[in-house]
Amino acid sequence: MPEPSHDGCARGVVAACRRLSAAAARGAGPAELAGILAAGVGAPVTVLAGTRVVAATGPPLTPADGVAAVVPPGAGQVVVGRPAGPVPAELLCLAAEHAALACAAARDPAGAARRDLLEALLLGRAHHDGELARWAAHLGHDGRPHAVAVLVPHRDPAAAEAEIRRHAPTAMVTARPDEVVAVLGADTPAAAVDRAVALADQLGVAAAGIGDAYCAAADVARSYGEARRALAVARRRSGAERVLTFRDLGVNRLLARFPDLAELRSFGEEVIGRLLDEEAATGMPYLATLTAYFQVNGSPSQAARRLHVHPNTIAYRMRRIEELTGLRLGEQRDRLMAEVAVEIVAGMGRA
């Protein structure tokens, strides 16, 4: 029979690495992972913890017997022996490294590695740390779209984290002092976002922001930033709209990507700062009135119904708003400035 080509070997190793990732994500043990690797490369495999043999597909090997990769964070080694076929050494190294990372995930029933990984991803380290991105694959970030949810639970964040792990065991989750961050995957971007929204609704959170879904582990930081922007808006709202996705934010999606947020806040302050000062001094809900007015396309009667006040009250407030801001809301340019300023303040707060 002809010997397998190097391309064929590469495909077999890649397939084995994918099976390792899937097995690690569902919590497979070292013995199963060693078996997957051995079948993929056609070589005996031994998993060591120190010098103790944890799993072996044949006679136990030592690091001197083949290619060895360290199980993070230095907790052991995966040793791959001499393959039956002509598998290039670099492919054996790659396969051994994948298996080592998968074993690290298998040793993590409490989710400590997932938490550490997520904190690193949130800091954007995956953009310049290839090993971190590979580890992410073994901990559940499998190349499908993933969305970040930032949740403010009614209960203790640690209890909320435990509940999320029950509902979504493959999610990466970390609890902070006042929030829980979760990364959830699905087959499509829309499904990943919907899954995050459903989780927030299921937990009954005080507020939540959901970022867009991306396939690359390096984009977790981007989705996290979007989720925090959505959360900031959600926490300022009352009523049912306490769970917001980044896509719900309308023009704030563009504002959130503006490179100089201080400049945005300065613009909002310049346009409606005096109005906000007057509201703080008198308690008159000018900002809510202006928001309702824009939402109903400038109809005082509809704004009055939305706010449950008399139309004359809306008319008085709108006159006062124009006096305080110097804007003429019947003019398109002034109305656009006011709408953008309201969105900035609603989404980012004052300068």
Side-chain angles (χ1 to χ4, degrees):
M1 293 181 62
E3 292 186 344
S5 68
H6 282 196
D7 286 346
C9 291
R11 286 194 293 271
V13 170
V14 169
C17 289
R18 287 175 176 167
R19 289 195 293 273
L20 285 167
S21 296
R26 60 177 168 76
E32 181 179 351
L33 297 172
I36 292 172
L37 178 59
V41 300
V45 173
T46 296
V47 180
L48 300 172
T51 59
R52 181 173 61 87
V53 175
V54 176
T57 63
L61 304 171
T62 69
D65 296 324
V67 174
V70 175
V71 176
Q77 296 184 78
V78 171
V79 182
V80 183
R82 184 182 299 276
V87 181
E90 62 268 21
L91 287 181
L92 283 180
C93 291
L94 174 66
E97 180 183 80
H98 269 70
L101 293 172
C103 287
R107 293 166 56 90
D108 184 41
R114 279 185 169 86
R115 283 192 295 270
D116 292 345
L117 169 67
L118 180 53
E119 292 293 346
L121 293 177
L122 296 177
L123 294 174
R125 279 182 51 198
H127 281 290
H128 48 77
D129 191 333
E131 183 179 359
L132 187 67
R134 291 193 295 273
W135 197 355
H138 292 296
L139 294 175
H141 202 299
D142 53 8
R144 295 183 303 159
H146 282 68
V148 174
V150 181
L151 312 162
V152 180
H154 288 294
R155 67 196 75 130
D156 174 60
E161 178 187 1
E163 186 171 353
I164 291 171
R165 292 191 183 283
R166 287 194 296 273
H167 291 302
T170 61
M172 290 183 286
V173 189
T174 185
R176 271 87 174 274
D178 58 353
E179 67 183 25
V180 180
V181 181
V183 182
L184 301 107
D187 291 332
T188 66
V193 172
D194 289 345
R195 186 183 178 201
V197 171
L199 177 65
D201 291 339
Q202 189 172 25
L203 293 176
V205 296
I210 315 295
D212 281 348
Y214 302 97
C215 293
D219 285 323
V220 167
R222 178 179 179 181
S223 184
Y224 174 63
E226 295 169 349
R228 291 210 61 83
R229 179 69 60 223
L231 176 64
V233 177
R235 297 181 85 161
R236 291 186 174 91
R237 294 188 176 182
S238 58
E241 288 188 301
R242 301 286 283 175
V243 178
L244 288 179
T245 71
F246 188 64
R247 292 185 178 273
D248 292 330
L249 299 187
V251 70
N252 264 297
R253 291 175 59 192
L254 297 177
L255 298 178
R257 294 191 169 106
F258 193 80
D260 190 345
L261 297 184
E263 182 66 23
L264 284 178
R265 289 193 175 97
S266 177
F267 175 82
E269 190 72 21
E270 178 183 329
V271 176
I272 60 172
R274 285 190 60 201
L275 184 70
L276 299 176
D277 291 340
E278 179 79 2
E279 179 173 309
T282 65
M284 186 69 70
Y286 290 121
L287 188 60
T289 302
L290 198 52
T291 300
Y293 179 79
F294 290 141
Q295 288 173 343
V296 297
N297 299 316
S299 170
S301 60
Q302 291 184 42
R305 284 195 292 273
R306 177 165 292 204
L307 296 176
H308 307 291
V309 298
H310 195 277
N312 288 346
T313 301
I314 297 296
Y316 164 76
R317 291 178 186 173
M318 295 308 298
R319 286 196 301 272
R320 186 62 179 148
I321 287 170
E322 290 190 332
E323 291 172 1
L324 289 167
T325 61
L327 299 173
R328 294 295 173 260
L329 297 176
E331 298 180 7
Q332 189 271 341
R333 178 178 177 276
D334 284 6
R335 186 169 61 251
L336 178 60
M337 288 177 60
E339 287 195 65
V340 171
V342 167
E343 291 289 346
I344 291 171
V345 171
M348 304 178 187
R350 298 190 68 179

